[in-house]
Amino acid sequence: MKTVKYLLIGLVVVVITAFTVQRAFDSGYQVGDMAEDFRLKNIDGKMVSLSDYKDVKGYLVVFTCNSCPYAVAYEDRIIALDKKYKDQGVPVIAINPNNPSIQPKDSYEMMKTRAKEKGFTFPYLIDEDQEIFPKYGATRTPHCFLLEKTPKGNLVRYIGAVDDNYQDASQVNNAYVEQAIDAMLNGQEIEIKNTKAIGCSIKV
Amino acid sequence: MKKILLITCFISVMFGCKTKTDSESDVMASLQATPKEVLNSGDKEIPVYDFDGLAPLLQSPGEKTRIVNFWATWCKPCVAELPHFEEIGKKYKDAGVEVILVSLDFPSKTEESLLPFVKEHNLSSQVVLLDDPRQNEWIPKVDENWSGAIPATVIISQNERSFYEKSFTFKELEAELLKHTDN
C-alpha cells in the first residue's frame, strides 16, 4: 500500500515538474520574473545593454520592427512614451527580433532608414542571433515588457500591448503601458499586468 | 427611413447568399448577428463583424467541422499558408468541412488591401472582416493561450476544439483536420 502511495506522489511530482518546465520553456518571462540583460547592436553601430543605463528606475523594452503594420501603427505612440518617461527614469529600448533574410524590410540598413525617417528618440537594436526575444517570450510585434530596476535585478512588471486601440490613438480607453509605468513610479500596484493584442508573428 | 434602408440591405444580403454556393450560404446562416457592414470584392461579399457577431462561428458547428483561420493581407506567413486552407476547403467540402478566413486587415484600408486581394486570388473560402479594436477582450475568448500573433487557426467539430498559433503546411493542416473528422 505504501509503495502505491509513494508511486502516486512520485507521479504527481513528475507531472508537475513536466508542466512547469514546459511552461517556462514555451512562454518566456512572466510578470514577477527577473529579466536577463543583453548586449545588442544599435543602429549607430554601438552595443547597448540595460546595465549601460545608470540613473534609471526601469526600462520599457519593446519588440518591434519596420515591416509589421501594427508595429508601424504604434511608432508615434512609442516615441511619445519615450519622450514622456525618459526624463522620469524609464527609457524605451526597441529591439527588432525579425530575421531579415525572411523579411528584408527588417534588415539592419532598413532599421537605420526607418529610425531616421520617424526620428526615433530611443535605441533601436537588432536581435541578430534571435536569442533575446525567445528568452523574454516575445511572440509578436509590437510586444512590450516593462522592467523595474531593483537591487536584485530587472523585475518584469508588465507584459503586453501599448494600449487597447491599435486603430485609433484618439479612441484609446486604456493606455496600459502608461498606467503600468505611472503605477510603478508611484510605488503602486499595477492594475493590469498582462494584455493581449494582435501583432505580426516574429520571423525566424 | 434608416430602418427601411437597413432592412432592404439585409434582405438583399440574404438574397445575395441564395445565389451563392451552398457552403457560403451555410456559413452566413451560422452567423446570427447582422453584420455591421457588407463589403464587395468582385462577386464576393465580405461581411464585417465585431467579435460578438463573429462569436457564433467559434462555437460547435453541429455535424460539420469548421476551420477558422485568422490572417491579414500584410501578414506574410498568413498569405503563404492561404492556398492550403483553400485546398482543404475544396477537398473536404463534401465531407462537411467549412473554411472561414477571418481577416484582421485594417478596416480603414480595405479598399487598397483586402478587397483587391480577395479578388485577385479568387478566394473560394468565405472571408469575413473582424473590426473590433478591443483585442485584449476578445483574443482570450478565441483561445486563452493565444498571444495575438497571426497566423492562428481554430478547428472546431462537434466535440472538440483545437487552437494553433502557428503556420501550416498542407499536410499538417490535413492531419489536424483528420483528427477531428475521424472521430
Side-chain angles (χ1 to χ4, degrees), chain A residues 67-70 73 102-104 139-140 143 164-167 171-174 176 192 194-203, chain B residues 72 74-77 104-107 130-140 143-151 165 167:
Chain A
S67 63
C68 175
Y70 278 81
I102 309 279
Q103 178 48 272
T139 55
R140 56 177 194 266
H143 204 160
D164 68 356
N165 197 322
Y166 69 95
Q167 291 179 13
Q171 295 294 316
V172 169
N173 287 342
N174 277 297
Y176 303 126
I192 304 173
N194 282 285
T195 58
K196 293 185 169 185
I198 293 295
C200 305
S201 55
I202 290 171
K203 313 292 183 292
Chain B
W74 45 256
C75 164
K76 262 191 156 183
L104 291 161
D105 279 275
F106 285 74
L130 177 56
D131 176 9
D132 196 332
R134 306 288 158 203
Q135 301 178 331
N136 191 46
E137 286 164 32
W138 62 256
I139 288 172
D143 193 278
E144 58 177 26
N145 293 319
W146 187 14
S147 80
I150 51 173
E165 180 173 332
S167 295

Side-chain angles (χ1 to χ4, degrees), chain B:
Chain B
M1 188 57 204
K2 255 193 177 165
K3 261 192 181 162
I4 297 174
L5 255 176
L6 252 166
I7 293 167
T8 325
C9 271
F10 188 64
I11 292 171
S12 59
V13 168
M14 304 274 286
F15 271 95
C17 289
K18 286 213 169 126
T19 59
K20 297 268 145 90
T21 60
D22 283 347
S23 72
E24 269 187 47
S25 58
D26 286 353
V27 171
M28 299 292 277
S30 36
L31 289 163
Q32 289 138 10
T34 314
K36 294 210 269 191
E37 197 184 339
V38 177
L39 307 172
N40 284 296
S41 170
D43 60 346
K44 299 269 179 0
E45 281 171 346
I46 302 175
V48 184
Y49 290 99
D50 58 15
F51 188 75
D52 289 341
L54 186 84
L57 275 183
L58 296 164
Q59 322 230 311
S60 165
E63 298 287 296
K64 295 188 160 201
T65 302
R66 190 180 292 140
I67 303 178
V68 182
N69 174 246
F70 292 86
W71 70 292
T73 57
W74 45 256
C75 164
K76 262 191 156 183
C78 303
V79 171
E81 67 173 8
L82 270 190
H84 310 321
F85 285 83
E86 286 277 285
E87 208 179 326
I88 287 281
K90 284 176 196 158
K91 185 169 172 186
Y92 290 96
K93 185 181 162 191
D94 294 339
V97 174
E98 59 187 30
V99 173
I100 297 164
L101 305 174
V102 179
S103 160
L104 291 161
D105 279 275
F106 285 74
S108 57
K109 291 183 180 161
T110 51
E111 289 293 335
E112 67 249 39
S113 59
L114 183 63
L115 302 182
F117 184 95
V118 170
K119 197 173 171 186
E120 187 188 326
H121 292 80
N122 198 21
L123 296 181
S124 59
S125 311
Q126 176 68 49
V127 178
V128 305
L129 178 69
L130 177 56
D131 176 9
D132 196 332
R134 306 288 158 203
Q135 301 178 331
N136 191 46
E137 286 164 32
W138 62 256
I139 288 172
K141 290 183 190 166
V142 174
D143 193 278
E144 58 177 26
N145 293 319
W146 187 14
S147 80
I150 51 173
T153 300
V154 187
I155 303 181
I156 319 150
S157 52
Q158 203 157 14
N159 304 312
E160 221 183 328
R161 190 178 199 278
S162 312
F163 174 78
Y164 311 87
E165 180 173 332
K166 58 166 286 193
S167 295
F168 277 108
T169 62
F170 179 80
K171 279 196 171 161
E172 286 167 349
L173 183 60
E174 188 172 43
E176 290 303 321
L177 174 67
L178 293 177
K179 281 185 196 167
H180 281 261
T181 51
D182 283 353
N183 282 335

Side-chain angles (χ1 to χ4, degrees), chain A residues 19-31 33 63 132-140 143 145 156 159 194 196, chain B residues 144-147 165:
Chain A
F19 275 98
T20 326
V21 170
Q22 181 68 24
R23 189 181 148 86
F25 180 75
D26 269 349
S27 42
Y29 295 142
Q30 308 288 323
V31 169
D33 288 347
F63 292 89
I132 299 305
F133 86 79
K135 273 188 190 158
Y136 275 69
T139 55
R140 56 177 194 266
H143 204 160
F145 292 75
V156 180
I159 300 176
N194 282 285
K196 293 185 169 185
Chain B
E144 58 177 26
N145 293 319
W146 187 14
S147 80
E165 180 173 332

Side-chain angles (χ1 to χ4, degrees), chain A residues 184-197:
Chain A
M184 181 180 94
L185 290 176
N186 293 323
Q188 292 162 343
E189 178 76 10
I190 295 172
E191 220 171 293
I192 304 173
K193 300 184 184 75
N194 282 285
T195 58
K196 293 185 169 185

